[in-house]
Amino acid sequence: LGELVGGLTTKAADHLGLRKDLPVVQGGADAFIGMIGLGVVRPGSLAFITGSSHLHLGLSEEAFHGTGVWGTYFDALLPGMHVVEGGQTSTGSVVNWLKNLFGVEDYKALNLEAEKIPAGSEGLIVQEHFQGNRTPYTDPISRGVFHGLTLKHQRAHLFRAVIEGVSFGSELILETMRNNGFKPDRIVIAGGATRSPLWLQIHADVSNLPLTITKVPDAPSLGCAILAATGAGLFPDVSTAVKKMVQVDRFVEPNSEVHQQYQPFYENYKETYHSMKKLRMGLE
C-alpha cells in the first residue's frame, strides 16, 4: 500500500479528463485504508469503523488464529504487521430501520429521548443480528431479537436498546479478541456513530475503554490521501505520513460505574444468541 504502480494510460486519462502519466498509487480495501486514516499503524491499536455495519481491525506483531476472529493476515496493511478482524453485519442499519419505522426524519429527538433512559433500557435487550452474524459466530441465519418488552417501554427505550445491543455485539468481538490474545490498548473510531454523543458514550461505557475521535471522521478518504501523498514522494513511508496527517480531536472516556450497571445486561445479551438458535431451528 502506498507504492507507486505507474501512471494513467492515454485511454484512462482521456476518459477521466486527467493528464497522462498521472501517478497511480496502490490502494486497498476501504476498511483497511480506514485503518490508515485513523492512524492505526502500530501493534496493539484497534480501528473501529462504524456505519451500516461495524468493523473492528487491529494490528499485531505476532501471528495468531482462533475461533471467532478473522485473520491474522500478514502484510495486509503494513510490512511485517498482522491484521486481526472482527465485524458486525447490522449496526447503523438497524438504528436507521427503527428511525424509519418511527416515521421521524432525523435522530435528534430520538437521541434526546434516549439520553433520559437508564443503562439497560429498563430490562429491554436487543440482539442486532438482523442480517445474521459475522463474528464471533459467523452464522448467516441468526436473526434480530427484542426481548423484555413491557407496556412501560416507549420508543426511546427501543432506540436506546438497539444502540446498547450494537455496543454489546462490539464488546463480544473485543472479548473474543482478548480471549485469543489480542488486547488493544487504543481504540480509534470513525464513521456515522461519531455524530452521536449518546452512541459514543454507550460504546465506551459498555467496553470500559476510552475512544479516540480524529479530526477527519471519514477515515477511508483520509487514508487514500495518505497513501497518495506517500506514493507521490511527499513522505518516505506510510507511518511518517500518518504522523503528519492524522490529528486527534477528542477522547470519550468510559464511566466505570455505568460499565458495572451494564454487566448483567451484557451477560443476558450473550445468552440470547444460544437460546434463540435453539428456538429458531427449523424455521429457516
Side-chain angles (χ1 to χ4, degrees):
L1 304 184
E3 289 188 1
L4 185 65
V5 295
L8 286 179
T9 63
T10 300
K11 184 177 181 180
D14 290 342
H15 177 72
L16 296 170
L18 298 171
R19 68 176 179 84
K20 183 183 176 183
D21 296 328
L22 185 74
V24 176
V25 176
Q26 177 65 45
D30 54 356
F32 280 48
I33 305 310
M35 296 176 72
I36 292 172
L38 288 173
V40 176
V41 293
R42 65 173 178 81
S45 296
L46 183 83
F48 188 8
I49 300 174
T50 69
S52 58
S53 60
H54 277 16
L55 280 173
H56 316 72
L57 294 149
L59 284 177
S60 170
E61 288 183 313
E62 305 294 333
F64 65 91
H65 306 281
T67 302
V69 297
W70 296 345
T72 53
Y73 320 126
F74 185 58
D75 280 353
L77 189 74
L78 297 174
M81 290 288 105
H82 303 261
V83 175
V84 60
E85 181 179 357
Q88 293 164 271
T89 308
S90 306
T91 54
S93 54
V94 183
V95 178
N96 185 62
W97 166 81
L98 193 62
K99 175 183 73 72
N100 292 339
L101 203 63
F102 290 149
V104 297
E105 293 185 1
D106 59 50
Y107 295 104
K108 184 176 180 180
L110 292 172
N111 274 290
L112 290 173
E113 293 173 17
E115 287 175 357
K116 302 173 184 177
I117 306 299
S121 300
E122 298 193 90
L124 181 57
I125 304 292
V126 173
Q127 177 173 280
E128 82 291 3
H129 300 180
F130 280 46
Q131 297 166 285
N133 176 268
R134 295 175 74 180
T135 55
Y137 306 118
T138 316
D139 184 349
I141 63 172
S142 183
R143 290 294 177 259
V145 177
F146 284 75
H147 69 86
L149 280 164
T150 70
L151 294 178
K152 71 180 176 183
H153 288 114
Q154 304 298 316
R155 72 177 191 176
H157 291 85
L158 273 68
F159 184 74
R160 183 183 181 105
V162 164
I163 295 176
E164 289 176 340
V166 171
S167 301
F168 292 152
S170 292
E171 171 57 17
L172 181 56
I173 289 170
L174 292 174
E175 180 182 321
T176 305
M177 287 182 172
R178 291 193 294 268
N179 290 341
N180 283 290
F182 181 74
K183 301 176 182 179
D185 58 10
R186 178 172 176 261
I187 296 179
V188 195
I189 186 169
T194 61
R195 295 195 289 270
S196 170
L198 174 67
W199 200 338
L200 290 173
Q201 193 61 57
I202 290 175
H203 265 306
D205 291 342
V206 167
S207 296
N208 204 31
L209 288 169
L211 302 177
T212 300
I213 316 297
T214 59
K215 288 188 177 180
V216 181
D218 189 353
S221 293
L222 179 57
C224 287
I226 289 170
L227 295 181
T230 303
L234 299 179
F235 301 101
D237 53 51
V238 171
S239 295
T240 303
V242 164
K243 290 178 182 178
K244 294 290 186 180
M245 297 179 68
V246 179
Q247 299 176 339
V248 172
D249 181 46
R250 67 191 189 279
F251 301 95
V252 178
E253 297 292 338
N255 184 317
S256 58
E257 182 178 333
V258 176
H259 173 71
Q260 291 301 318
Q261 294 172 12
Y262 272 127
Q263 290 313 291
F265 301 105
Y266 173 57
E267 294 301 323
N268 193 293
Y269 166 86
K270 290 195 290 184
E271 288 300 318
T272 298
Y273 170 75
H274 304 290
S275 298
M276 289 305 301
K277 186 175 182 179
K278 295 177 182 177
L279 284 174
R280 292 191 59 81
M281 287 181 66
L283 294 180
E284 297 298 332

